[in-house]
Amino acid sequence: MGKRFLYLDTFATVRVVSDAALAEATRTYIANENFVLVIGSLNLMEIVSWPKRWSEVVSFVSSVPFCIAQNSDKIAAKEVANYPNEIASLPVGFSSSDHSFSSGDLANALSLHLKGKITEFERNFRNLNGETYRAILDKRELFQPEKEGKYSPVERQMFMQSSVLSMLFPEHQEFLRRALAAANAEGRREGIIIERFRSTYIQALAIFVEYYVQKKTGKLSDMGDILQLSLVPYVDLAVLDNERNNLIQRFNRDKLFPSYLNACNFRDFTTMIMK
């Protein structure tokens, strides 16, 4: 069995490390199922705000095989570079299995080295977060369904096409220009195949379902939750809070995402590992 990726959102991570029995059961589950624990920059940024839990998180993470996932913009860049093919696996910036560090060395690296990176990431993230949130609300007023209260599949696809390409612009504008020109030259009606950009597609889909279909008022902190969804298409199991897990299950039930997404909430995860 090859290595598989397990992603615990921030809430799940903190709950696991706060309970010795849960932490041990999770270690055993990771070992038995040949999982690699996936950590994202946003997880680390959020955990830093809980200083009492930081040492527990560092100790737990360094005791299991783990990797630090690339930020969502780097994942999107990999998807762009590999277009029109999909990327095969989650892009990672660091993997514990690639080094012969002791668990103590890994714990020190997480505690000392990453805190500086997290501080820089947090500063940039806060600025971008606010801009994205305001853009979502502004655009919603301009994009109402033709039939009152319900968007058609065509309208959903129009939103997704516009949003995914907008999220890739301006950083990848030269790629978009070339890809669109190639699609036109080949006479492909669909133009750029946005489903190839799964990390961006899932974020746009979450925005559409929550803010447009469900008319969610939302809050600024939602943007971090949506950004973290970029990892979900590339892991074998994601353990999410109830709200995000319900969203993923809706994607699966209504076949809104190009592929099935493996996710569960924390209660189901604990039931599974504590058997």
Side-chain angles (χ1 to χ4, degrees), residues 56-214:
E56 294 174 337
V57 169
V58 167
S59 177
F60 174 78
V61 170
S62 60
S63 72
V64 300
F66 76 92
C67 66
I68 307 295
Q70 293 278 17
N71 293 338
S72 59
D73 60 329
K74 300 295 185 184
I75 298 175
K78 289 277 189 182
E79 292 169 333
V80 165
N82 215 48
Y83 184 85
N85 300 313
E86 295 181 345
I87 60 175
S89 185
L90 175 71
V92 300
F94 176 87
S95 177
S96 63
S97 64
D98 292 339
H99 304 275
S100 57
F101 299 138
S102 68
S103 60
D105 290 335
L106 290 171
N108 287 335
L110 285 168
S111 293
L112 300 175
H113 183 60
L114 290 178
K115 278 191 176 181
K117 288 189 174 183
I118 293 164
T119 301
E120 180 182 357
F121 174 78
E122 182 174 15
R123 183 171 57 250
N124 296 333
F125 170 73
R126 297 297 180 195
N127 294 334
L128 181 61
N129 214 18
E131 293 175 11
T132 303
Y133 180 67
R134 288 188 294 272
I136 288 171
L137 297 183
D138 290 344
K139 187 176 179 180
R140 181 169 64 180
E141 297 306 314
L142 301 173
F143 189 70
Q144 298 295 320
E146 289 187 11
K147 292 185 178 180
E148 187 175 350
K150 188 173 183 180
Y151 290 95
S152 69
V154 171
E155 287 172 325
R156 182 180 71 237
Q157 185 60 24
M158 288 172 55
F159 175 90
M160 293 299 297
Q161 191 79 21
S162 171
S163 297
V164 170
L165 298 184
S166 293
M167 292 166 76
L168 294 176
F169 185 89
E171 184 173 359
H172 303 291
Q173 59 182 313
E174 180 57 26
F175 159 78
L176 294 172
R177 184 191 65 77
R178 287 187 283 102
L180 188 58
N184 290 336
E186 294 170 7
R188 285 192 277 111
R189 291 173 55 190
E190 72 272 19
I192 296 174
I193 308 170
I194 59 172
E195 290 82 2
R196 296 294 186 266
F197 314 110
R198 293 191 288 172
S199 68
T200 304
Y201 192 97
I202 195 170
Q203 294 177 63
L205 185 59
I207 290 167
F208 180 73
V209 170
E210 291 197 329
Y211 283 84
Y212 289 73
V213 176
Q214 298 176 349

